Coordinates of all heavy atoms in Angstrom, one line a residue:
V1792 N -10.6 -6.1 -57.2 CA -12.1 -5.9 -57.3 C -12.7 -7.0 -58.1 O -13.7 -7.7 -57.8 CB -12.4 -4.5 -57.9 CG1 -13.9 -4.5 -58.4 CG2 -12.1 -3.4 -57.0
L1793 N -12.1 -7.3 -59.3 CA -12.6 -8.4 -60.1 C -12.5 -9.8 -59.5 O -13.3 -10.6 -59.7 CB -11.8 -8.4 -61.5 CG -11.9 -7.1 -62.3 CD1 -11.2 -7.3 -63.6 CD2 -13.4 -6.7 -62.5
H1794 N -11.4 -10.0 -58.7 CA -11.3 -11.2 -57.9 C -12.6 -11.4 -57.0 O -13.2 -12.5 -57.0 CB -10.1 -11.2 -57.0 CG -10.0 -12.3 -56.0 ND1 -9.6 -13.6 -56.2 CD2 -10.4 -12.2 -54.7 CE1 -9.7 -14.3 -55.1 NE2 -10.1 -13.5 -54.2
N1795 N -12.9 -10.4 -56.3 CA -14.1 -10.5 -55.4 C -15.4 -10.7 -56.2 O -16.3 -11.5 -55.8 CB -14.2 -9.2 -54.5 CG -13.4 -9.3 -53.3 OD1 -12.6 -10.2 -53.1 ND2 -13.5 -8.3 -52.4
I1796 N -15.5 -10.0 -57.4 CA -16.7 -10.2 -58.2 C -16.8 -11.6 -58.7 O -17.8 -12.3 -58.7 CB -16.7 -9.2 -59.3 CG1 -16.9 -7.7 -58.8 CG2 -17.8 -9.5 -60.4 CD1 -16.8 -6.6 -59.9
A1797 N -15.6 -12.1 -59.2 CA -15.6 -13.5 -59.7 C -16.0 -14.5 -58.6 O -16.7 -15.5 -58.9 CB -14.2 -13.8 -60.2
K1798 N -15.6 -14.3 -57.4 CA -15.9 -15.2 -56.3 C -17.4 -15.1 -56.0 O -18.1 -16.1 -55.7 CB -15.2 -14.9 -55.0 CG -13.7 -15.3 -55.1 CD -13.0 -15.2 -53.8 CE -13.5 -16.2 -52.7 NZ -13.3 -17.6 -53.1
K1799 N -18.0 -13.9 -56.1 CA -19.5 -13.8 -55.9 C -20.3 -14.5 -57.0 O -21.4 -14.9 -56.8 CB -19.9 -12.3 -55.8 CG -19.5 -11.7 -54.5 CD -20.1 -12.4 -53.3 CE -19.5 -11.8 -52.0 NZ -20.0 -12.6 -50.9
F1800 N -19.7 -14.6 -58.2 CA -20.3 -15.4 -59.3 C -19.8 -16.8 -59.4 O -20.1 -17.5 -60.3 CB -20.1 -14.6 -60.6 CG -21.0 -13.5 -60.9 CD1 -20.6 -12.2 -60.4 CD2 -22.1 -13.6 -61.6 CE1 -21.5 -11.1 -60.6 CE2 -23.0 -12.5 -61.8 CZ -22.6 -11.3 -61.3
S1801 N -19.1 -17.2 -58.3 CA -18.6 -18.6 -58.2 C -17.8 -19.0 -59.5 O -18.0 -20.2 -59.9 CB -19.8 -19.6 -58.0 OG -20.5 -19.2 -56.8
V1802 N -17.0 -18.1 -59.9 CA -16.1 -18.4 -61.1 C -14.8 -19.0 -60.6 O -14.1 -18.3 -59.9 CB -15.9 -17.2 -62.0 CG1 -15.1 -17.6 -63.2 CG2 -17.2 -16.5 -62.3
P1803 N -14.5 -20.3 -61.0 CA -13.2 -20.8 -60.5 C -12.1 -20.2 -61.2 O -12.2 -19.8 -62.4 CB -13.4 -22.3 -60.8 CG -14.3 -22.3 -62.0 CD -15.3 -21.2 -61.8
P1804 N -10.9 -20.2 -60.6 CA -9.7 -19.7 -61.3 C -9.3 -20.8 -62.3 O -9.6 -22.0 -62.2 CB -8.7 -19.6 -60.2 CG -9.1 -20.5 -59.2 CD -10.6 -20.6 -59.2
P1805 N -8.6 -20.4 -63.4 CA -8.1 -21.4 -64.3 C -7.1 -22.3 -63.7 O -6.4 -21.9 -62.8 CB -7.5 -20.6 -65.4 CG -7.1 -19.3 -64.8 CD -8.2 -19.0 -63.7
T1806 N -7.1 -23.5 -64.1 CA -6.1 -24.5 -63.5 C -4.7 -24.1 -64.0 O -4.6 -23.6 -65.1 CB -6.4 -25.9 -63.9 OG1 -6.5 -26.0 -65.3 CG2 -7.8 -26.3 -63.3
G1807 N -3.7 -24.5 -63.2 CA -2.4 -24.2 -63.7 C -1.4 -25.0 -62.9 O -1.6 -25.3 -61.7
V1808 N -0.3 -25.3 -63.5 CA 0.8 -26.1 -62.8 C 1.9 -25.2 -62.4 O 2.3 -24.3 -63.2 CB 1.3 -27.2 -63.7 CG1 2.4 -28.0 -63.0 CG2 0.2 -28.1 -64.2
G1809 N 2.4 -25.4 -61.2 CA 3.5 -24.5 -60.7 C 3.1 -23.1 -60.4 O 3.9 -22.2 -60.6
Q1810 N 1.9 -22.9 -60.0 CA 1.4 -21.6 -59.8 C 1.2 -21.3 -58.3 O 0.6 -20.3 -57.9 CB 0.0 -21.4 -60.5 CG 0.0 -21.5 -62.0 CD 0.7 -20.4 -62.6 OE1 0.8 -19.3 -62.1 NE2 1.2 -20.6 -63.8
T1811 N 1.8 -22.1 -57.4 CA 1.8 -21.8 -56.0 C 2.5 -20.5 -55.7 O 3.6 -20.3 -56.1 CB 2.4 -23.0 -55.2 OG1 1.7 -24.2 -55.6 CG2 2.2 -22.7 -53.7
E1812 N 1.8 -19.7 -54.9 CA 2.4 -18.4 -54.5 C 3.5 -18.6 -53.5 O 3.2 -19.2 -52.5 CB 1.3 -17.5 -54.0 CG 1.9 -16.1 -53.5 CD 2.4 -15.3 -54.5 OE1 2.1 -15.5 -55.7 OE2 3.1 -14.3 -54.2
P1813 N 4.7 -18.2 -53.7 CA 5.8 -18.4 -52.7 C 5.6 -17.6 -51.5 O 5.0 -16.5 -51.5 CB 7.0 -17.9 -53.5 CG 6.6 -16.9 -54.4 CD 5.2 -17.4 -54.9
L1814 N 6.0 -18.2 -50.4 CA 5.9 -17.4 -49.1 C 7.1 -16.5 -49.0 O 8.2 -16.8 -49.2 CB 6.0 -18.4 -47.9 CG 4.8 -19.4 -47.8 CD1 5.1 -20.4 -46.7 CD2 3.5 -18.6 -47.5
Y1815 N 6.8 -15.2 -48.8 CA 7.9 -14.2 -48.7 C 8.3 -14.1 -47.3 O 7.6 -13.7 -46.4 CB 7.3 -12.9 -49.2 CG 7.3 -12.8 -50.7 CD1 6.2 -13.3 -51.4 CD2 8.3 -12.3 -51.5 CE1 6.1 -13.3 -52.8 CE2 8.3 -12.2 -52.8 CZ 7.2 -12.7 -53.5 OH 7.1 -12.7 -54.9
P1816 N 9.6 -14.4 -47.0 CA 10.2 -14.2 -45.7 C 10.1 -12.7 -45.3 O 10.4 -11.9 -46.1 CB 11.6 -14.7 -45.8 CG 11.7 -15.4 -47.1 CD 10.6 -14.9 -48.0
G1817 N 9.7 -12.5 -44.1 CA 9.5 -11.1 -43.7 C 10.8 -10.4 -43.3 O 11.8 -11.1 -42.8
R1818 N 10.9 -9.1 -43.5 CA 12.0 -8.3 -43.0 C 11.6 -7.7 -41.7 O 11.1 -6.6 -41.7 CB 12.4 -7.3 -44.1 CG 13.0 -7.9 -45.3 CD 13.5 -6.7 -46.3 NE 14.1 -7.3 -47.4 CZ 14.5 -6.6 -48.5 NH1 14.3 -5.3 -48.5 NH2 15.1 -7.1 -49.5
Q1819 N 11.9 -8.4 -40.6 CA 11.5 -7.8 -39.4 C 12.3 -6.6 -39.0 O 13.5 -6.6 -39.2 CB 11.6 -8.9 -38.3 CG 10.7 -10.1 -38.6 CD 10.6 -11.1 -37.4 OE1 10.7 -10.6 -36.3 NE2 10.5 -12.3 -37.7
L1820 N 11.6 -5.7 -38.3 CA 12.3 -4.5 -37.8 C 12.7 -4.8 -36.4 O 12.2 -5.7 -35.7 CB 11.3 -3.3 -37.8 CG 10.8 -2.9 -39.1 CD1 9.8 -1.7 -39.0 CD2 11.9 -2.6 -40.1
S1821 N 13.7 -4.1 -35.9 CA 14.2 -4.4 -34.5 C 13.1 -4.0 -33.5 O 12.3 -3.1 -33.8 CB 15.4 -3.6 -34.3 OG 15.2 -2.2 -34.4
V1822 N 13.1 -4.7 -32.4 CA 12.0 -4.5 -31.4 C 12.7 -4.2 -30.1 O 13.7 -4.9 -29.7 CB 11.1 -5.8 -31.2 CG1 10.1 -5.5 -30.2 CG2 10.5 -6.1 -32.5
T1823 N 12.3 -3.2 -29.4 CA 12.8 -2.9 -28.1 C 12.4 -4.0 -27.1 O 11.2 -4.2 -27.0 CB 12.3 -1.5 -27.6 OG1 12.7 -0.5 -28.6 CG2 12.9 -1.2 -26.3
P1824 N 13.3 -4.6 -26.4 CA 12.9 -5.7 -25.5 C 11.9 -5.2 -24.4 O 12.0 -4.1 -23.9 CB 14.3 -6.0 -24.8 CG 15.3 -5.6 -25.8 CD 14.7 -4.4 -26.5
G1825 N 10.9 -6.0 -24.3 CA 9.8 -5.7 -23.3 C 8.7 -4.8 -23.8 O 7.8 -4.5 -23.1
S1826 N 8.9 -4.3 -25.1 CA 7.9 -3.4 -25.6 C 6.6 -4.0 -25.9 O 5.6 -3.4 -26.1 CB 8.5 -2.7 -26.9 OG 8.7 -3.6 -27.9
N1827 N 6.5 -5.4 -26.1 CA 5.3 -6.0 -26.4 C 4.9 -7.1 -25.4 O 4.3 -8.1 -25.7 CB 5.4 -6.7 -27.8 CG 6.5 -7.7 -27.9 OD1 7.3 -7.8 -27.0 ND2 6.5 -8.5 -29.0
D1828 N 5.3 -6.8 -24.1 CA 4.9 -7.7 -23.1 C 3.5 -8.0 -23.0 O 3.0 -9.2 -22.8 CB 5.4 -7.2 -21.7 CG 6.9 -7.4 -21.5 OD1 7.5 -8.1 -22.4 OD2 7.5 -6.8 -20.6
E1829 N 2.6 -7.0 -23.2 CA 1.2 -7.1 -23.1 C 0.7 -8.1 -24.2 O -0.2 -8.9 -23.9 CB 0.5 -5.8 -23.2 CG -1.0 -5.9 -23.0 CD -1.7 -4.5 -23.2 OE1 -1.0 -3.5 -23.1 OE2 -2.9 -4.5 -23.3
A1830 N 1.2 -7.9 -25.4 CA 0.8 -8.7 -26.5 C 1.3 -10.2 -26.3 O 0.6 -11.1 -26.6 CB 1.4 -8.2 -27.8
L1831 N 2.5 -10.4 -25.8 CA 3.0 -11.7 -25.5 C 2.1 -12.4 -24.5 O 1.8 -13.6 -24.6 CB 4.4 -11.6 -24.9 CG 5.5 -11.3 -25.9 CD1 6.8 -11.0 -25.2 CD2 5.7 -12.5 -26.8
K1832 N 1.7 -11.7 -23.4 CA 0.8 -12.3 -22.4 C -0.6 -12.6 -23.1 O -1.1 -13.7 -22.8 CB 0.6 -11.3 -21.3 CG 1.8 -11.1 -20.4 CD 1.6 -10.1 -19.3 CE 2.8 -9.9 -18.5 NZ 2.6 -8.8 -17.4
A1833 N -1.1 -11.8 -24.0 CA -2.4 -12.1 -24.6 C -2.3 -13.3 -25.5 O -3.2 -14.1 -25.5 CB -2.8 -10.8 -25.4
R1834 N -1.2 -13.4 -26.2 CA -1.0 -14.6 -27.1 C -0.9 -15.9 -26.3 O -1.5 -16.9 -26.6 CB 0.2 -14.5 -28.0 CG 0.4 -15.6 -29.0 CD 1.5 -15.4 -29.9 NE 2.8 -15.4 -29.3 CZ 3.9 -15.1 -29.9 NH1 4.0 -14.8 -31.2 NH2 5.1 -15.0 -29.2
Q1835 N -0.1 -15.8 -25.2 CA 0.0 -17.0 -24.3 C -1.3 -17.4 -23.7 O -1.6 -18.6 -23.6 CB 1.1 -16.7 -23.2 CG 1.5 -17.9 -22.5 CD 2.1 -19.0 -23.4 OE1 3.0 -18.7 -24.2 NE2 1.6 -20.2 -23.3
A1836 N -2.1 -16.4 -23.3 CA -3.4 -16.7 -22.7 C -4.3 -17.4 -23.7 O -5.0 -18.3 -23.4 CB -4.1 -15.4 -22.2
L1837 N -4.2 -16.9 -25.0 CA -5.0 -17.6 -26.1 C -4.5 -19.0 -26.2 O -5.4 -19.9 -26.4 CB -4.8 -16.8 -27.4 CG -5.6 -17.2 -28.6 CD1 -5.9 -16.0 -29.5 CD2 -4.9 -18.3 -29.4
I1838 N -3.2 -19.2 -26.2 CA -2.7 -20.6 -26.4 C -3.1 -21.5 -25.2 O -3.6 -22.6 -25.5 CB -1.2 -20.5 -26.5 CG1 -0.7 -19.8 -27.8 CG2 -0.6 -21.9 -26.4 CD1 0.8 -19.6 -27.9
D1839 N -3.0 -21.0 -24.0 CA -3.4 -21.7 -22.8 C -4.9 -22.1 -22.8 O -5.3 -23.2 -22.4 CB -3.1 -21.0 -21.6 CG -1.6 -20.8 -21.4 OD1 -0.8 -21.6 -22.0 OD2 -1.2 -19.9 -20.6
S1840 N -5.7 -21.2 -23.4 CA -7.2 -21.4 -23.4 C -7.6 -22.3 -24.5 O -8.6 -23.0 -24.3 CB -7.9 -20.0 -23.5 OG -7.6 -19.2 -22.4
N1841 N -6.9 -22.3 -25.6 CA -7.5 -22.9 -26.8 C -6.6 -24.1 -27.3 O -7.0 -24.9 -28.1 CB -7.7 -21.9 -27.9 CG -8.8 -20.9 -27.6 OD1 -10.0 -21.1 -27.8 ND2 -8.3 -19.8 -27.1
F1842 N -5.3 -24.1 -26.9 CA -4.4 -25.1 -27.5 C -3.6 -25.8 -26.4 O -2.5 -26.4 -26.7 CB -3.4 -24.4 -28.5 CG -4.2 -23.8 -29.7 CD1 -4.5 -22.5 -29.6 CD2 -4.5 -24.6 -30.8 CE1 -5.2 -21.9 -30.7 CE2 -5.2 -24.0 -31.8 CZ -5.5 -22.7 -31.8
Y1843 N -4.1 -25.8 -25.2 CA -3.3 -26.4 -24.1 C -3.2 -27.9 -24.4 O -4.2 -28.7 -24.6 CB -4.0 -26.2 -22.8 CG -3.3 -26.9 -21.6 CD1 -2.0 -26.4 -21.2 CD2 -3.8 -28.0 -21.0 CE1 -1.4 -27.0 -20.2 CE2 -3.2 -28.6 -20.0 CZ -1.9 -28.1 -19.5 OH -1.3 -28.8 -18.5
V1844 N -1.9 -28.4 -24.3 CA -1.6 -29.9 -24.4 C -1.0 -30.3 -23.1 O 0.1 -29.7 -22.7 CB -0.7 -30.2 -25.6 CG1 -0.4 -31.7 -25.6 CG2 -1.4 -29.7 -26.9
P1845 N -1.5 -31.2 -22.3 CA -0.9 -31.5 -21.0 C 0.5 -32.1 -21.2 O 0.8 -32.7 -22.3 CB -1.8 -32.6 -20.5 CG -3.1 -32.4 -21.2 CD -2.7 -31.9 -22.5
P1846 N 1.5 -31.8 -20.3 CA 2.8 -32.3 -20.5 C 2.8 -33.8 -20.5 O 1.9 -34.5 -19.9 CB 3.5 -31.8 -19.2 CG 2.7 -30.7 -18.7 CD 1.3 -31.0 -19.1
R1847 N 3.6 -34.4 -21.3 CA 3.7 -35.8 -21.5 C 4.2 -36.5 -20.3 O 5.2 -36.0 -19.7 CB 4.5 -36.2 -22.7 CG 4.0 -35.7 -24.0 CD 4.9 -36.0 -25.2 NE 4.5 -35.4 -26.4 CZ 5.1 -35.5 -27.6 NH1 6.2 -36.2 -27.6 NH2 4.6 -35.0 -28.6
S1848 N 3.6 -37.6 -19.8 CA 4.1 -38.4 -18.7 C 4.8 -39.6 -19.2 O 4.4 -40.2 -20.2 CB 2.9 -38.8 -17.8 OG 2.2 -37.6 -17.3

Side-chain angles (χ1 to χ4, degrees):
V1792 167
L1793 298 185
H1794 166 84
N1795 276 5
I1796 291 175
K1798 286 190 68 65
K1799 286 302 174 185
F1800 280 85
S1801 300
V1802 184
T1806 57
V1808 179
Q1810 297 289 338
T1811 302
E1812 176 66 17
L1814 296 174
Y1815 282 82
R1818 289 183 177 174
Q1819 296 191 32
L1820 303 178
S1821 59
V1822 182
T1823 303
S1826 63
N1827 61 347
D1828 283 350
E1829 183 180 349
L1831 285 168
K1832 291 177 182 178
R1834 182 176 64 187
Q1835 192 58 50
L1837 184 151
I1838 293 172
D1839 293 341
S1840 298
N1841 297 275
F1842 298 95
Y1843 177 71
V1844 178
R1847 298 177 185 179
S1848 299

